[in-house]
Structures are given as C-alpha cells and as structure tokens.
Amino acid sequence: MVAAARAPGLPPDLPPEDVVRSVLRPRTVVALFAGLSVLFGAVFALMVPVAWGPDEGAHFHRAFQVSEGGLAPERLPDDGPYPVYGGEAPASATRFIGGFGGPPGSTEHRSDPLFVPSEARRQALAEPLNGETVTAWFPNTAAYSPVPYLPAALGARLAAAADLGVGGAWTLMRMLQVLSYTAVAAVGLWSLRRTRFFWVGFCVALLPTALYQSAVISADSVTNAVVFTFTALVLRATVLDRSPEPVSRAELAVLLVGATALPLMKPTYVILSLLLLAVPLRKYPLPRLAGRGPVPAALLLGGCLVLTFGAFAWWMWLASGTAEAMGLLRGAAERHTVRPGDQLAFVLGEPLAVLGVAARTILTLDWVYAASFVSQMGYGLGENVNGPFIGAVCWLVAAGAAFFHGPRGVASRRLTAWFAGVLLLNVAAIFGTLYLSFAPVESGIVNGVQGRYFVPLALLLLGTLVPLVRARFPAAPAALRRVDTMILVLVPLSAVLAVAGYATVMHVTGHYALP
C-alpha cells in the first residue's frame, strides 16, 4: 500500500482522510472561493433588476437610514390604531421603488419575461440619489440593528458623495455587500483548512442562495457570513478537533467577536451563541492560574455571554414596538389580524393546537423550504424563483461527497446533543418569530418562512451530523483527490446553472405556470 502524502504543518494524529494532500492547497481554495463569490455576486448584483430582491426596497430604506445616522428604529405618527415605523428616504429612490420595485403581478403571455426594460425606468434610475427626502414606511426592516447594513450604508454614503443616480447607488451598495460577505466567509473557510471538513465549508459558502443573497440589499448578506464564520470556528475547536493545542489568539478573537455580533444580526440567531459553551476552556490560548485552573478563560467566556445576551436584550427593547407594526405587510384588509400579544396568548394557552400548526406547516411546505434553501433567487409571479433542479443536484452531490469523504469527528454524545439542541431551538425560533409577528391570530399555518432563512444553519447541521453519521467512504489518496476535483467542478456549475435559470425566467422566457 502506498503511504498517504502528508500535507506539511498538520498534527501527527490526524486520520487518513485529513492527511492526504488536496488537489489544491487550502490557500488556493480560499482564493478560489473568494474569486467565485465575487464573480457570481457581481453577476447577480448586475443582473437582478433594481429593487427586485426580497423586500429590497425596505432594506434599502433601512440601509439609507443607517447611513444618515439613524441607528435605532424610528416610530412615525400612528396610522389610526396602528403603530408605524420608518424614516426619511430619498424621494427619487422611493418613487422608483413605488413604480418599478418587484416583479409584476402578471404578464400578458405566459412566455413573456418577467423583466421588461422601459425608457421610464431608465430615466427613474438616472435620477440623483441626493435631493429631497420623503417619509417612508418599513416596519419589517426597522426591527433590525444597523450592523448588518453597514456595507450597504457605506455604499449609500459614497453614492451620495459621488452624486450618483439611483441605479448607480443601488449597484454600489450591492457590490459592497458582495465584498463583505466574501471577506467574512473567507475567514471562516480558512479556519477549517486543517481538516477535510474544509470542503464542506467550501460547498456551504458557495450555496447558490447565499451567493444571491449576498448580491441584493438585505440584512442576510452579512448575517450569513458572520454565522458561517462563527460556526466554522466553533466546529474547528470541538467536533473537528484532534489536537491538544489551543486555538490561536486571532481565532479566539474572531470567535468571541462573532458571538457578540450575533444578536445584532437577525435576532433569532442569537441562540447560536450558546455554542460557545461547547468550546473547552483548554482551547482558549490563555494562562492557567496555579491551583485554580482556567479561571481567565472562564471569565472571558462568561463576560462574552453576558455581553451577547445583554446586547440582545437591549436591542429587543429598542425594537419591541416594531412587532405591532408588522400587520402593514399583509395589506389593509388583513392588517388588523396580526396582533402579537393575542398570538402569544394563543401559543401559551393552546400548546396542542400550536403543535398541530407546526406539523401542518412542515408536512405541507417542506419541499418548498428545501427548494428555496438551495437556490432561491427572489420572487416571480406570486412565488419564489428557484434555480434549476439539476443545479440543486450538482450542489447536493458535491456537499454529500465532501461530507462522506470527510472526518468522523471526535465529539461526545453530550456535545453532539448540545449542538443538535441549539440547532433545533434556532429552527423553532425562526418559525415562532414569524408566527408571532406575521401570521394572523390563531392561523392554522406559519406564514412567511422561507428556505433561505435556514442557510446560516447549514454548516451547523452538517457539523452536528459528523459524529452521528459514522459511515465514510475509503480514504484512498487517489479517490480523495478525485472527490476534490468533482467538488471544484460541481459547486461552480451549480452557481452557473442558478444564474442561467434566473436569467431565463427574468429576461428570456418568463414563467410557464399552468393556466
């Protein structure tokens, strides 16, 4: 038998599947990821019509508000019995969103493309961003902290300084989000370089849905990247750890900063900060006090968790009123049906009925969630625009090959159960948040949940399965190199097919829905 070629700098106790040198060096793979992320992000940023991303008009308004120093949610004069949140926004952009934002409700022929350029649209895009402002309502995005909007807010400031038009400003804001996603996610991918789970991270970071989300103005771009990097570092120090050595000081700093940033992303992901409790104190690169053990590490962990949940409580207090304003998104006819207080009373008072709601939602919409998890790219005629099935298969085959040719992990049952509990609790929080703040009181189904909301949890799911699914393919050097090559082909191909599918629906043939 030919001995496996050991990559330089690896610990001596790594299993065979982590010893074999990959087709490309980790540094090259990270650079390739960065290139592909920027490439496909730029393609989507330029190809997706302005203000056609999911709730992109509302996200633009929030990003602009942040760029002007509006950090906290701003309550406007109530609209009758309903609270209203929003703020001042450029009149030119607000007019554009009102006239051209989002796909049409219908097309004359089923074969018509959804996007049809017009002279009026071009003129509206050319209007300067600077100028008069108007009051805009955006209760759904007012609830988010300013942190995930910082790249887009910087773009808005630069666009205003350069006196760009609405179209130029929008593109600049999108591109800064692409670059931010790429830079932050690259840090997480690099942290996995000493294990073959590195290839799983490569697949997750280039998930077509994540690439699309990075290219439209939203809170998802930065959120996805921060959660990815935080999760990668947690897995690096726990499930994937076979070395007695602590993590580096730089890795610890990124891990703790990521944990404290979680409550200032989308609030539901704050639950992931509980994963810090799974990181052994011996992995902290801090001195141990004689006779007292790792006291500095314990104090640092405790301080980080206090800061994290303190930030969460502070922001939820600031944004508490926005939940009452979410009924605006359901339209005038149903606005009165969204009452978070009454919905909470129903959830607490009728637990069996709520379990039925959860079961009905999952059993009837699981395929929708699955399709929109892999390659959701905004909305079409009353439904999601998802990438081609063959593209999803390419990504799933690549991710599966990476997983089953990866490490078996070293986690105990208790640690695995903790990871699984945090994961399930976060999934429940996503459904619960939408049920309380968006669904009508006592609704029989959870409205508003989309597969893209689970993208930040993908790496944690696969990391939790590492010690649970013990079956692995043989770690022969030649076979592993073929797997690496297959991943390098299939993952970009899945992105290419997603772009082609989106371009076809939007710019070529449109939807062929049944009459």
Side-chain angles (χ1 to χ4, degrees):
M1 179 179 295
V2 179
R6 179 177 292 272
L10 293 178
D13 58 344
L14 287 180
E17 61 268 19
D18 281 341
V19 169
V20 177
R21 187 190 299 275
S22 298
V23 171
L24 299 176
R25 293 180 180 275
R27 190 183 304 275
T28 305
V29 177
V30 173
L32 179 62
F33 155 73
L36 291 171
S37 178
V38 171
L39 172 63
F40 288 109
V43 169
F44 278 125
L46 296 173
M47 185 173 62
V48 177
V50 170
W52 279 35
D55 300 323
E56 196 173 13
H59 287 294
F60 170 87
H61 283 142
R62 177 60 175 142
F64 180 84
Q65 184 183 52
V66 172
S67 75
E68 295 293 306
L71 305 183
E74 180 182 347
R75 183 163 181 169
L76 304 175
D78 291 355
D79 182 32
Y82 307 108
V84 176
Y85 283 81
E88 293 298 303
S92 55
T94 302
R95 284 194 300 268
F96 181 88
I97 294 168
F100 303 99
S106 63
T107 57
E108 184 177 355
H109 304 101
R110 283 181 292 159
S111 59
D112 290 342
L114 291 185
F115 175 73
V116 179
S118 66
E119 183 60 30
R121 180 185 179 88
R122 283 190 287 268
Q123 291 178 359
L125 285 173
E127 288 191 37
L129 189 69
N130 292 331
E132 63 173 322
T133 61
V134 294
T135 301
W137 293 0
F138 43 96
N140 52 332
T141 57
Y144 297 141
S145 93
V147 176
Y149 291 106
L150 290 178
L154 174 61
R157 293 292 292 180
L158 294 175
D163 201 22
L164 296 181
V166 172
W170 213 286
T171 301
L172 178 58
M173 294 166 74
R174 284 177 169 181
M175 284 306 304
L176 287 177
Q177 290 209 152
V178 170
L179 295 175
S180 299
Y181 172 81
T182 302
V184 176
V187 173
L189 186 59
W190 178 250
S191 72
L192 298 172
R193 66 193 179 279
R194 294 182 181 274
T195 167
R196 282 194 61 84
F197 198 78
F198 175 75
W199 287 107
V200 176
F202 180 80
C203 295
V204 172
L206 289 174
L207 184 68
T209 299
L211 295 175
Y212 173 87
Q213 285 299 128
S214 76
V216 295
I217 300 173
S218 76
D220 291 323
S221 176
V222 175
T223 297
N224 290 347
V226 168
V227 173
F228 174 85
T229 295
F230 172 77
T231 305
L233 284 163
V234 169
L235 295 176
R236 146 87 173 83
T238 54
V239 173
L240 306 174
D241 178 47
R242 289 180 179 271
S243 169
E245 298 299 320
V247 300
S248 69
R249 289 182 179 271
E251 288 175 326
L252 179 63
V254 174
L255 178 66
L256 298 181
V257 169
T260 55
L262 288 175
L264 300 178
M265 299 293 144
K266 286 193 167 182
T268 51
Y269 300 115
V270 68
I271 295 169
L272 295 177
S273 62
L274 295 174
L275 295 175
L276 276 181
L277 296 173
V279 179
L281 295 179
R282 62 179 172 79
K283 302 301 294 184
Y284 286 60
L286 299 174
R288 301 170 68 93
L289 299 181
R292 296 187 179 181
V295 173
L299 291 175
L300 185 60
L301 171 62
C304 179
L305 290 175
V306 169
L307 183 61
T308 297
F309 286 96
F312 174 72
W314 170 72
W315 183 258
M316 294 306 294
W317 172 73
L318 281 180
S320 58
T322 59
E324 298 290 340
M326 287 288 287
L328 177 67
L329 303 181
R330 301 197 67 89
E334 296 185 29
R335 189 175 183 181
H336 67 283
T337 65
V338 179
R339 303 188 300 276
D342 292 342
Q343 190 78 299
L344 180 61
F346 169 68
V347 169
L348 297 178
E350 301 288 345
L352 293 181
V354 172
L355 288 176
V357 171
R360 188 180 301 111
T361 300
I362 293 172
L363 292 174
T364 57
L365 295 174
D366 55 349
W367 274 111
V368 176
Y369 300 149
S372 59
F373 166 79
V374 178
S375 58
Q376 180 188 355
M377 295 166 289
Y379 307 129
L381 296 179
E383 60 183 359
N384 294 330
V385 175
N386 296 321
F389 175 74
I390 186 63
V393 170
C394 287
W395 186 87
L396 290 169
V397 169
F403 180 86
F404 284 105
H405 287 87
R408 289 181 172 83
V410 293
S412 65
R413 291 182 179 179
R414 181 179 301 176
L415 180 65
T416 304
W418 182 256
F419 275 39
V422 170
L423 177 65
L424 292 174
L425 186 60
N426 212 136
V427 171
I430 292 172
F431 281 95
T433 299
L434 269 296
Y435 193 64
L436 291 175
S437 64
F438 187 69
V441 175
E442 299 187 20
S443 172
I445 200 167
V446 182
N447 302 110
V449 178
Q450 301 176 47
R452 61 187 173 93
Y453 298 157
F454 304 108
V455 168
L457 304 179
L459 194 68
L460 176 58
L461 171 63
L462 293 169
T464 302
L465 291 176
V466 164
L468 291 177
V469 182
R470 305 297 296 175
R472 293 294 187 276
F473 292 114
L480 290 177
R481 292 192 184 97
R482 285 195 296 269
V483 169
D484 297 349
T485 302
M486 180 178 67
I487 293 170
L488 290 170
V489 171
L490 290 182
V491 171
L493 180 58
S494 70
V496 169
L497 291 171
V499 167
Y502 186 84
T504 300
V505 170
M506 288 292 163
H507 302 284
V508 183
T509 61
H511 278 244
Y512 275 92
L514 293 176

